[in-house]
Amino acid sequence: MISTATSAFINVQGLCKSFGGQVLYQDFDLTLPEGKVISVFGPNGCGKSTLINMMSGLIPIDQGQITVADKPLRRSRIGYVFQNYRDTLFPWMSAFDNIAYPLKVKGMAEKNRHQRVDQLLATFDITLDLRRYPYQFSGGQQQLIAILRAVVADPEVLFLDEPFSALDFEMTLYIREKLQQVHMESNLTTVVVSHDLEDAVYLADQILLLSKRPTHVVEKVQFELPRPRTPDTVSHPEFVRTKGHCLDIFRQEMRQ
Amino acid sequence: MNQKKRQPSPSQNPLAIASKWVPWADKLLPLLGVVILLSFWEIAATSNWVNPVLLPTPVATIAELVIVTFRPENGLFLDFFTTLWRTLLSFAIGAILGVPLGIILGSNERVYRSFEFLIDFFRSTPASALIPMFLLFLGTSDWNKVVIPAFAGFLVIIFNSAYGVMNARQSRILAARVMGASHWDIFKDVLFWESLPQIFIGLRTGISISLVIVIVAEMFIGTDLGLGKRIFETQQILNVKDMYASILTTGVLGYCLNMIFRFVEKQIVHWSGR
């Protein structure tokens, strides 16, 4: 089924969330389109990660409703990439077993798991010796394994919580390219939290700018430069303009 | 020693205050403490600081160790294997009961809170203090020398297993949950492994405690065979060479158990510290 970009694929309504008496979200509404990459950007402590954690069902909400493709969260297929691969990959399993774990818990036979993972590696032309354990790979490779694990079971939405924050610059560029490739191959709806505006704009079709607490959406900025985007993209006038615009709004928010 | 001696040191003695410290000398460092102890022992035994009747020289002790170990009559190896068997058996009982119960206890916070004080109390009570009580119920049977150490090992194993499960990092559990893993999947694929390093700490402590209590029980309860009984009896008849040889054997046993355990642990918990 093809849906238009304006249809609400992820739908958040009347969301309320408090932490220790501090109101983080109050009657928060948000709709996100299907098949797009949405970057979430905002000041520290505004609850960017909390938002995607609630949208992925990782933490409970106080009030409100969240649906993905008109289904409640518990029936939707979610892929999630955590900030820290070190704490979320399973070091007692080989890289292969890590990537194939979502397939295993769904009851897929081992032979089919191998096929699916091989197919995934071929698609993104990744050559890693998956018999090794996660800690035997570099940080960037580990994050790549975490991303493969998140997309292997064909999720409806992919959430990424600051996927570059534990990586050096070189690896950030590499993982950024792989994420773009994932999106171009699968057209997967992707929501990525980033504290780096360049990464946020580079990846996004839409940048979601959030305010300070209690959090609301300040603006949804569209960024429609065609893919594949390259390292040259960051000096493209449209990129510079969009990034500048986001930064202006961010500064305004900080002053309030 | 290194095959390639790049810089032959002026004297081949690693203890010499050499101006050029050679790399292979570092490998000999672990022996330094042993050499110092043996020298001190030798001096103490030969210089009449200590009554020679009470302290034979190291060489005499080690010679005695070799002789009594393989003596067909009243050989040390029989005592050695008896003590080893009791230690392993009691450890196995403690582990087979302690690990699953600890995991169950740790998986349910309410259950753990109900038993926390009890476990902590008995864990803090020296198990040797319970020997007379066990004697009342089990008599001086051979069984007794296994049950008490098993109980002592069980307590540290159950405690550490429960602790390991309760303090498992939440991040991997969350990761499994968001992938759609069931409670049982999370338990067997994540929680169990996550607590394994702590379980191993319990097992390693458990086997050490089992050995300690086996030795004490053998001394206290009385038995035909066992290192504890041998140490005690040789002391009674002032057969000090045999006594020191038996003490050394106990040390070797404890040390080897520890080393074997560390090796196994490293193979299984291969990700620890990485």
Side-chain angles (χ1 to χ4, degrees):
Chain A
M1 199 178 79
I2 302 160
S3 60
T4 57
T6 48
S7 82
F9 187 65
I10 303 175
N11 202 335
V12 179
Q13 258 167 7
L15 173 72
C16 298
K17 180 75 183 176
S18 302
F19 271 118
Q22 280 254 26
V23 177
L24 198 55
Y25 288 93
Q26 180 82 51
D27 288 325
F28 181 85
D29 297 332
L30 177 70
T31 57
L32 297 174
E34 184 174 11
K36 301 288 178 188
V37 180
I38 298 106
S39 290
V40 183
F41 190 78
N44 260 340
C46 76
K48 302 181 289 268
S49 297
T50 308
L51 181 62
I52 69 162
N53 286 346
M54 289 189 290
M55 289 199 289
S56 57
L58 275 177
I59 58 173
I61 59 178
D62 295 346
Q63 253 179 62
Q65 203 184 19
I66 300 174
T67 56
V68 172
D70 296 324
K71 290 178 297 183
L73 273 183
R74 67 192 139 75
R75 286 204 285 125
S76 45
R77 298 191 308 276
I78 304 287
Y80 195 109
V81 176
F82 293 83
Q83 189 172 350
N84 197 340
Y85 46 83
R86 217 178 291 276
D87 288 343
T88 49
L89 289 174
F90 304 143
W92 46 85
M93 290 182 191
S94 67
F96 172 82
D97 286 335
N98 266 282
I99 296 172
Y101 190 70
L103 304 174
K104 191 183 161 204
V105 298
K106 285 184 170 62
M108 188 187 272
E110 179 155 6
K111 197 178 138 226
N112 298 347
R113 296 205 294 262
H114 272 280
Q115 271 174 6
R116 172 72 186 120
V117 172
D118 287 345
Q119 179 203 340
L120 199 62
L121 293 182
T123 310
F124 303 120
D125 59 286
I126 294 162
T127 46
L128 293 176
D129 179 6
L130 295 186
R131 287 165 302 182
R132 292 195 288 164
Y133 292 105
Y135 55 78
Q136 294 171 309
F137 292 93
S138 75
Q141 289 170 328
Q142 289 185 52
Q143 191 61 297
L144 188 59
I145 290 168
I147 291 168
L148 291 173
R149 181 174 76 169
V151 299
V152 73
D154 190 24
E156 291 166 299
V157 193
L158 174 64
F159 293 102
L160 301 105
D161 182 13
E162 307 222 3
F164 312 117
S165 65
L167 302 176
D168 60 30
F169 183 63
E170 202 183 327
M171 272 301 158
T172 299
L173 293 186
Y174 175 68
I175 296 294
R176 214 164 69 174
E177 287 323 303
K178 285 295 168 194
L179 279 176
Q180 171 166 262
Q181 214 181 338
V182 168
H183 182 69
M184 287 172 68
E185 290 288 339
S186 60
N187 222 25
L188 180 60
T189 309
T190 304
V191 183
V192 50
V193 167
S194 175
H195 64 254
D196 184 304
L197 195 50
E198 184 177 298
D199 294 334
V201 176
Y202 184 91
L203 285 168
D205 296 300
Q206 189 182 91
I207 303 117
L208 189 68
L209 294 169
L210 297 180
S211 69
K212 286 199 284 194
R213 280 191 300 233
T215 312
H216 59 269
V217 178
V218 182
E219 195 180 323
K220 288 178 178 173
V221 181
Q222 303 297 323
F223 179 60
E224 278 155 354
L225 222 55
R227 293 191 174 89
R229 296 168 185 169
T230 64
D232 293 334
T233 300
V234 296
S235 45
H236 191 284
E238 184 61 20
F239 183 93
V240 176
R241 198 194 60 75
T242 307
K243 194 180 156 191
H245 177 67
C246 292
L247 197 58
D248 284 344
I249 293 175
F250 179 75
R251 287 216 187 95
Q252 271 172 35
E253 263 314 301
M254 294 305 289
R255 271 198 294 273
Q256 276 174 11
Chain B
M1 205 187 287
N2 256 348
Q3 310 93 313
K4 276 194 266 176
K5 268 189 257 168
R6 276 168 298 172
Q7 289 176 317
S9 65
S11 74
Q12 288 297 322
N13 183 358
L15 294 176
I17 309 161
S19 51
K20 284 177 192 164
W21 188 254
V22 283
W24 57 263
D26 275 348
K27 291 186 184 154
L28 298 176
L29 281 180
L31 292 176
L32 188 59
V34 180
V35 171
I36 291 174
L37 178 73
L38 287 178
S39 319
F40 189 73
W41 180 0
E42 177 73 32
I43 294 166
T46 50
S47 65
N48 279 349
W49 288 350
V50 182
N51 186 344
V53 176
L54 303 183
L55 188 68
T57 63
V59 175
T61 306
I62 289 161
E64 174 80 1
L65 177 61
V66 176
I67 294 164
V68 294
T69 299
F70 299 107
R71 201 164 57 192
E73 181 202 340
N74 194 16
L76 185 64
F77 74 96
L78 280 175
D79 295 297
F80 177 86
F81 282 112
T82 308
T83 300
L84 176 64
W85 166 246
R86 283 179 184 142
T87 305
L88 292 180
L89 188 63
S90 55
F91 167 70
I93 295 169
I96 287 167
L97 294 176
V99 173
L101 281 177
I103 289 175
I104 292 169
L105 223 57
S107 311
N108 190 324
E109 177 125 16
R110 285 219 173 81
V111 180
Y112 181 77
R113 294 280 164 244
S114 326
F115 288 94
E116 187 183 17
F117 172 74
L118 209 61
I119 293 172
D120 229 7
F121 179 80
F122 279 107
R123 199 174 62 95
S124 314
T125 309
S128 45
L130 299 173
I131 292 179
M133 183 199 83
F134 276 98
L135 265 172
L136 283 180
F137 292 101
L138 297 166
T140 55
S141 66
D142 217 36
W143 197 220
N144 211 344
K145 277 144 262 164
V146 171
V147 171
I148 302 168
F151 179 72
F154 166 78
L155 286 172
V156 283
I157 292 168
I158 192 175
F159 178 82
N160 278 287
S161 304
Y163 194 78
V165 173
M166 282 197 311
N167 288 285
R169 256 185 290 186
Q170 290 299 307
S171 52
R172 293 194 180 107
I173 295 167
L174 275 182
R177 192 183 298 153
V178 82
M179 288 186 266
S182 66
H183 282 294
W184 171 241
D185 287 327
I186 291 175
F187 177 79
K188 73 177 170 49
D189 296 333
V190 184
L191 195 55
F192 172 74
W193 297 92
E194 191 76 54
S195 49
L196 207 53
Q198 187 71 36
I199 290 176
F200 261 97
I201 291 175
L203 291 175
R204 191 144 43 83
T205 321
I207 202 165
S208 298
I209 288 184
S210 294
L211 176 62
V212 170
I213 302 300
V214 165
I215 298 286
V216 174
E218 285 170 348
M219 288 180 175
F220 199 84
I221 299 174
T223 167
D224 293 337
L225 288 168
L227 288 169
K229 171 243 172 195
R230 191 181 186 103
I231 293 169
F232 189 73
E233 279 194 348
T234 48
Q235 187 262 349
Q236 292 290 300
I237 58 170
L238 226 61
N239 184 357
V240 285
K241 269 196 261 177
D242 198 330
M243 182 191 80
Y244 284 111
S246 306
I247 292 173
L248 274 182
T249 309
T250 341
V252 169
L253 175 57
Y255 184 77
C256 289
L257 285 177
N258 211 354
M259 284 297 114
I260 292 167
F261 220 91
R262 273 176 197 278
F263 177 77
V264 172
E265 185 176 340
K266 235 180 164 173
Q267 299 304 306
I268 297 176
V269 194
H270 53 80
W271 65 91
S272 178
R274 308 220 210 180

